[in-house]
Amino acid sequence: MGFFSFFSKEKKETLDKGLSKTKESVFSKIARAVAGKSKVDDEVLDNLEEVLITSDVGVETTLNIIKRIEKRAAADKYVNTQELNLILRDEIAALLTENNSDDVADFDIPIARKPYVIMVVGVNGVGKTTTIGKLAYQFKKAGKSVYLGAADTFRAAAVEQLMIWGERVGVPVVKQKMGADPASVAYDTLSSAVANNADVVIIDTAGRLHNKVGLMNELTKIKNVMKKVVPDAPDEVLLVLDGSTGQNAFEQAKQFTLATEVTAMAITKLDGTAKGGVVIGISDQFKIPVKYIGLGEGMEDLQVFRKNEFVDSLFGENA
């Protein structure tokens, strides 16, 4: 059983702390945007538009939010600036609800069939391998047996880092020599997992974006080879993005969604940045569920993304 109905005090504190820089930045900007105003007029909306865009929510999503606020203000006839935070909170929550699937029940696998195969994609440096290690830890903590596949065979550091995480968490890592065929590593990993009746398999992949065609071909080959062992694999293609890169994360999401069928996203490093608005924009623009968020270096600092808790932490006592 997951912890869907139990969002612990510790997790809420981690979330609040992780989003504190974004919260402080956004609300100090909003306070300046409405200073001296008694009602929401065109100038306030223009200022709010600038606040959201500079908070990395993204232009299209910002315009969507502004349009919603205009509609609310028109319907309510009169909206003062004190109500603006509450309306903004409501509309962002509604936007996330519309553009994401249901919140998942903590670190659990949604199907009974084993193994559940996750292929992880993303450029180097976004926290991909660390996210895999933390996922392995959380799945193991939930009582699942986990296998990791080191299919990023182009970087020795990637394989070494995954091996370190495997030892730390206490899960097996399947690897081959440097430069080996990534699809071959994926095949070996799934074969070992099936032979040992494992619950979850997580496959790391190379994060090279300089040649989209090459990336697409490589990811397609890995998928096809995995299907020889587990016909429905992968069950999930998880794109890891670095939240602190703001608009660059949008571009990475665009490139990877063109290269392969991404089914879920993990947005990392939100604790060290004021660019947490990127979660809202990416969710809206790509219509792909943000499944996990990274809020620190600790094992427990990767959290399942829950829309309402995220909005509550972002707005806190300001709404």
Side-chain angles (χ1 to χ4, degrees), residues 117-159:
V117 182
I118 304 169
M119 185 168 84
V120 182
V121 301
V123 300
N124 300 329
V126 296
K128 185 158 52 82
T129 311
T130 301
T131 298
I132 291 169
K134 290 177 180 178
L135 274 176
Y137 165 75
Q138 293 287 1
F139 281 127
K140 188 178 180 191
K141 187 178 162 188
K144 308 296 182 188
S145 56
V146 184
Y147 269 68
L148 303 181
D152 183 354
T153 58
F154 299 95
R155 287 193 311 132
V159 177

Side-chain angles (χ1 to χ4, degrees), residues 218-235:
E218 184 178 296
L219 295 178
T220 300
K221 184 180 177 184
I222 292 172
K223 282 181 176 180
N224 290 340
V225 167
M226 286 197 293
K227 287 182 192 303
K228 293 179 180 179
V229 187
V230 179
D232 293 324
D235 297 289

Side-chain angles (χ1 to χ4, degrees), residues 7-16 309 312-313:
F7 192 70
S8 70
K9 183 182 175 186
E10 290 77 15
K11 286 188 178 187
K12 186 66 169 70
E13 286 172 354
T14 299
L15 186 59
D16 288 346
E309 279 81 3
D312 283 347
S313 289

